[in-house]
């Protein structure tokens, strides 16, 4: 029987794990919720699917940690699935006039900069770990964006949803940029270590 270190190492190289499959499913379902949200007749099912996609982000991380299925692929696939779903939802909400363009750009420009930095660093063999603050910010933003869009689409309790959504959105944006500042420090430290 191998040691815990050996088992963790084997797990980190695996590709087909439940968390990785969930991340892959999130990516595959992203265009589906976009199509549903674009049509006024299927907007509510689109919201429900979006909720399912967003909730699996929390589920796959929990499963990965609890079952020792944290993998190198998962460390890349999970944030890619998050950013893709968030960007797709924001663009869809802008197109359908559910979110103003300036609000979407506050999130999308930051994500584009982080993605670009990640690619440059990855080419140098440097990977920056996701900070809990970044996860909290994404969670808060999802609630804010979803509630704003819900309100602007005129669903049940639309006024209350929109007001609550804007509060969550502001808090989420502050957290998002605070996490970005922390990541800048992580990048500096990683670059100094790599020489």
């Amino acid at each position: 029987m191998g040691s815990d270190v050996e088992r963790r190492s084997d797990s980190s190289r695996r590709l087909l794990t439940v968390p990785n499959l969930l991340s892959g499913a999130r990516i595959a379902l992203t265009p589906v919720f976009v199509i549903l949200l674009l049509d006024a007749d299927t907007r509510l099912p689109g919201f429900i699917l979006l909720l399912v996609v967003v909730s699996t982000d929390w589920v796959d991380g929990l499963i990965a940690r609890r079952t020792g299925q944290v993998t190198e692929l998962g460390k890349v696939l999970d944030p890619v699935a998050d950013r893709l779903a968030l960007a797709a939802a924001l663009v869809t909400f802008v197109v359908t006039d559910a979110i103003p363009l300036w609000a979407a750009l506050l999130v999308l420009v930051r994500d584009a900069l982080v993605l670009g930095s990640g690619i440059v660093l990855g080419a140098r063999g440097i990977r920056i770990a996701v900070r809990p603050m970044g996860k909290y910010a994404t969670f808060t933003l999802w609630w804010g964006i979803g509630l704003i869009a819900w309100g602007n689409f005129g669903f049940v309790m639309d006024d209350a949803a929109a007001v609550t959504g804007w509060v969550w959105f502001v808090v989420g944006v502050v957290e998002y940029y605070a996490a970005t500042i922390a990541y800048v420090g992580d990048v500096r430290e990683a670059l100094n270590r790599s020489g």
Side-chain angles (χ1 to χ4, degrees), residues 112-188:
L113 292 171
V114 169
L115 178 63
S117 301
I119 291 169
V120 170
L121 292 170
R124 296 182 62 176
I126 299 169
R127 198 184 79 65
I128 304 299
V130 175
R131 286 178 164 265
M133 186 192 313
K135 284 285 193 184
Y136 300 144
T138 301
F139 174 82
T140 308
L141 277 173
W142 267 123
W143 272 102
I145 292 163
L147 287 169
I148 293 165
W150 181 276
N152 287 332
F153 283 143
F155 292 143
V156 178
M157 298 181 63
D158 54 349
D159 289 338
V163 170
T164 306
W166 280 112
V167 172
W168 279 78
F169 181 80
V170 169
V171 172
V173 166
V174 170
E175 290 173 341
Y176 220 42
Y177 281 90
T180 304
I181 291 167
Y183 286 132
V184 168
D186 293 344
V187 168
R188 283 186 184 153

Side-chain angles (χ1 to χ4, degrees), residues 66-125:
R66 293 263 171 98
T67 62
Q69 295 185 46
V70 175
T71 65
E72 292 306 312
L73 175 62
K75 290 176 184 176
V76 174
L77 202 55
D78 179 58
V80 166
D82 292 347
R83 303 282 72 81
L84 182 63
L86 185 58
L90 281 168
V91 170
T92 304
F93 290 150
V94 167
V95 167
T96 55
D97 293 323
I99 295 269
L101 178 61
W102 65 264
L105 288 175
L106 279 175
V107 178
L108 293 172
V109 168
R110 180 267 189 194
D111 277 356
L113 292 171
V114 169
L115 178 63
S117 301
I119 291 169
V120 170
L121 292 170
R124 296 182 62 176

Side-chain angles (χ1 to χ4, degrees), residues 3-22:
S3 70
D4 285 342
V5 172
E6 288 170 341
R7 280 197 299 275
R8 260 186 257 120
S9 177
D10 290 341
S11 178
S12 72
R13 289 191 294 264
R14 289 174 60 199
L15 298 178
L16 290 178
T17 63
V18 172
N20 288 354
L21 291 173
L22 285 171

